[in-house]
Amino acid sequence: MKRIISLTVLNQTGVLNRITGLFSKRHFNIESITVGHAETEGVSRMTLVVNVQEEKEVEQITKQLNKQIDVIKVTDITSQSIVSRELALIKVMSTPATRMELQGLIQPFRASVIDVSRESVVVQVTGEPEKIEVLIDLLKPYGIKEIARTGTTAFTRGTQRSVKEVPISIV
């Protein structure tokens, strides 16, 4: 099962290496990892997507991560209400004759062409990984030259009132 783990860590040399080493030693594969500055200076946020067989493996990972000196907080956010996105750049074979067709194909995905050459276009798309996979499948018949993906970045949604608490007004 795929799990999304969010970490806040001290932004110091070697932290990323220690975190990935911990996964490597325990034979867990990291499917994607994103790292960037957090809202606090000197702190970074990591989002890891890992595939595990059992729930106890996630607990083991979480406990091991919490033991790391540079780790501030570890949260398995998979079952929470989250906002998650990924960015993909896709270089697709394209002639002047197929460009309008490609534009019509990518438009429903809110993707955009960010570079054009004689033989290709570069498409930029953001969204859920599943959305990106669908677009890639649709672009394959045109001939994909290159793909670069950032991996999933995510955090929990803000506090939301439950449906029962929403006042209903009749006008």
Side-chain angles (χ1 to χ4, degrees):
M1 69 182 132
K2 190 190 299 188
R3 307 301 292 196
I4 301 172
I5 300 172
S6 178
L7 293 92
T8 49
V9 298
L10 296 177
N11 188 2
Q12 297 179 353
T13 305
V15 174
L16 179 60
N17 189 37
R18 287 189 288 280
I19 299 295
T20 56
L22 186 140
F23 281 83
S24 178
K25 286 179 198 171
R26 286 156 184 80
H27 304 286
F28 291 118
N29 184 44
I30 299 172
E31 288 188 10
S32 84
I33 184 168
T34 59
V35 184
H37 295 286
E39 61 282 356
T40 307
E41 191 171 329
V43 175
S44 291
R45 180 177 310 281
M46 290 184 173
T47 306
L48 297 135
V49 177
V50 295
N51 204 340
V52 295
Q53 299 298 319
E54 299 176 22
E55 188 72 32
K56 68 179 181 180
E57 293 174 322
V58 177
E59 292 173 24
Q60 178 189 13
I61 290 170
T62 303
K63 287 177 184 176
Q64 293 297 316
L65 287 169
N66 274 314
K67 289 181 183 179
Q68 298 292 310
I69 294 169
D70 297 318
V71 173
I72 299 167
K73 185 177 180 183
V74 180
T75 311
D76 178 1
I77 62 173
T78 309
S79 57
Q80 297 180 33
S81 179
I82 62 172
V83 176
S84 69
R85 293 290 181 267
E86 182 175 344
L87 166 72
L89 300 177
I90 310 161
K91 189 182 289 184
V92 183
M93 303 280 284
S94 173
T95 62
T98 61
R99 289 202 181 113
M100 287 303 291
E101 189 177 330
L102 279 171
Q103 190 66 41
L105 184 68
I106 68 171
Q107 190 174 16
F109 292 86
R110 293 189 178 136
S112 58
V113 173
I114 60 169
D115 185 57
V116 178
S117 71
R118 287 184 196 173
E119 300 92 27
S120 66
V121 296
V122 176
V123 175
Q124 171 184 287
V125 61
T126 59
E128 299 282 337
E130 295 80 17
K131 169 186 167 182
I132 293 171
E133 288 295 331
V134 171
L135 180 58
I136 288 170
D137 286 342
L138 289 172
L139 293 174
K140 280 182 182 174
Y142 294 91
I144 294 177
K145 293 175 106 176
E146 290 181 70
I147 297 176
R149 295 175 74 166
T150 61
T152 300
T153 190
F155 53 73
T156 57
R157 290 186 179 274
T159 306
Q160 298 176 18
R161 298 186 333 190
S162 69
V163 176
K164 294 176 188 174
E165 296 175 335
V166 177
I168 300 173
S169 60
I170 301 173
V171 179

